[in-house]
Amino acid sequence: MPRFDLPDIRKPLRAVLCGLLLAATLTATDARADLAAVASAVPSAELVGKGRMTMFGFKVFDAELYAPGGTYRAADPFALKLIYLRNFKGEDITESSIKEIRRQGGATSGQLASWEKQLRLILPNVSRGQSLTGVRTSGGATDFYSGRRKLGTINDPAFTKKFFAIWLGNSTRNPRLRAKLVGAGA
């Protein structure tokens, strides 16, 4: 009976497994590095919750909410990280943000114009896989980051409240996402 030698797949399999482990480690390291940039504004930041935003069946972004000790309070510092699953122009992100703030009501046309102008200067175009993080500071300002790089600040507590209410407010368009982010869905 002829003898067939099967190739030894242990080495290639080991290489694949090591590659997957390295990729997972780098991804976790990158996520921590992104948050290291906001550590001074949100001390002892821990994940509160996370979820995915979809619109008309399209994946838009994954969201992660971080707060001291993993407990979210709207009046305390926190960080909301959006990891984009599609490419978007900064201009489109700005327009969508202002539209949602307007929908909430309670902002004057002067405030909306000012906030739109500031956001246009801060928000960049994003590529699939890129993250933007908004930080609510202890003083009520909003700091914006792309990865580790600070993009700018809007130092207006009224803006901060309205901006984060897009995702975290009671009148959000996506209450399921809000529940997952604030930990109500756990």
Side-chain angles (χ1 to χ4, degrees):
M1 184 159 178
R3 181 170 177 244
F4 295 99
D5 288 325
L6 296 175
D8 185 1
I9 64 166
R10 288 178 289 186
K11 285 184 183 178
L13 183 59
R14 195 174 343 188
V16 168
L17 291 174
C18 286
L20 290 172
L21 181 60
L22 178 62
T25 303
L26 289 175
T27 301
T29 302
D30 291 345
R32 282 193 298 272
D34 283 357
L35 291 176
V38 300
S40 61
V42 187
S44 305
E46 292 181 27
L47 182 67
V48 177
K50 61 184 178 176
R52 174 165 286 170
M53 173 69 170
T54 59
M55 189 170 286
F56 306 115
F58 293 100
K59 298 173 188 171
V60 180
F61 58 75
D62 287 332
E64 300 173 350
L65 179 63
Y66 294 87
T71 303
Y72 166 73
R73 290 182 197 84
D76 291 342
F78 59 83
L80 180 64
K81 180 178 178 178
L82 304 180
I83 304 106
Y84 287 87
L85 303 173
R86 309 175 75 72
N87 298 339
F88 288 98
K89 292 182 180 180
E91 177 179 310
D92 294 335
I93 298 170
T94 296
E95 287 177 15
S96 178
S97 298
I98 294 300
K99 179 180 175 184
E100 287 302 307
I101 291 171
R102 182 180 291 114
R103 186 185 67 78
Q104 294 173 35
T108 68
S109 58
Q111 285 175 311
L112 291 168
S114 173
W115 297 339
E116 183 173 8
K117 182 178 178 181
Q118 291 175 76
L119 281 174
R120 285 189 189 283
L121 295 173
I122 293 171
L123 297 178
N125 297 337
V126 293
S127 301
R128 183 176 186 264
Q130 185 177 354
S131 69
L132 294 179
T133 303
V135 176
R136 191 239 187 251
T137 69
S138 60
T142 303
D143 290 339
F144 292 93
Y145 292 84
S146 176
R148 299 180 193 187
R149 185 173 59 96
K150 186 173 182 180
L151 300 171
T153 299
I154 296 182
N155 195 7
D156 183 342
F159 169 81
T160 298
K161 182 177 180 180
K162 294 289 187 183
F163 179 74
F164 287 110
I166 294 170
W167 303 275
L168 304 173
N170 290 326
S171 65
T172 181
R173 283 192 192 261
N174 195 329
R176 279 191 198 158
L177 177 61
R178 178 193 183 278
K180 289 178 181 179
L181 289 172
V182 301

